[in-house]
Structure formats: structure tokens, C-alpha cells
Amino acid sequence: MTKTPIAVLGIDLGKNNCSLAGLDATGAVVLRRKMTREGVTAFAATLPTCVIAMEACCGAHFLGRAFADQGHEVRLMSPEYVQPYVKAQKTTTGTPRRSPRQRRGRRCGSCR
């Protein structure tokens, strides 16, 4: 665990793994980790009470209730307000290349 207390914990939820960024009271990043969802819940239980910020989705509401039960203040952000915080495009390195047909985009049945 970090020596500096975490004031805000930002969580980027994924399907299996989550990215965490912990900020101290001055706004400096003191923690960066990747964990599973179960690991995030267990890790948050070890922290003193802090603000936990996540993008609002079904999984965030479930985790938010779990974090609130641990005494944390949970703040969910609407997806349109999360976009300015994204610094890089989200791509998975293990994703296979798309076929040329997939690159053209999907078309509805009436647009053939």
C-alpha cells in the first residue's frame, strides 16, 4: 500500500480487469494498478474512507453499493463527462486484425 493517503480513487472498469489511479489531497498520482473486480473490492476495503469515482454503468452501480457499504463516498460520472479524461485510445493489444469487410463498417439491411 502507498504511504501517502489516497483522497480520490479513480476506477476504469473493464470486463475482467480494472485500472486504478489514486490521487492524494494535492491531486498528485500516488497509485496506479490493474486488478480484477474482486481484487478492487478487497483493495478498497483496506483503504481509509475516500472518494471513489467511476463511469456510470451496470457494474459501477453494483460496485458503488459495495464501496458505500465499506464507508467510501462513491461518485458515478455520466459517460459523456468521462471522455475528456481519456488520454489514449482504448485498444487491446491482443485483438486480432479486422478483415477488410469489418473495416468498412456495418450496414443495415436496407443499405445494400
Side-chain angles (χ1 to χ4, degrees), residues 77-91:
M77 298 174 64
S78 181
E80 62 259 14
Y81 297 120
V82 173
Q83 189 60 35
Y85 294 100
V86 176
K87 292 185 178 181
Q89 292 183 355
K90 291 186 177 185
T91 57

Side-chain angles (χ1 to χ4, degrees), residues 1-40:
M1 198 163 122
T2 62
K3 296 177 183 173
T4 308
I6 295 174
V8 178
L9 181 66
I11 302 175
D12 180 19
L13 298 173
K15 289 184 180 180
N16 297 318
N17 294 323
C18 303
S19 299
L20 280 67
L23 306 175
D24 63 4
T26 63
V29 177
V30 294
L31 170 81
R32 287 191 193 275
R33 287 191 187 173
K34 286 192 176 188
M35 298 182 170
T36 62
R37 287 180 180 245
E38 296 82 18
V40 171

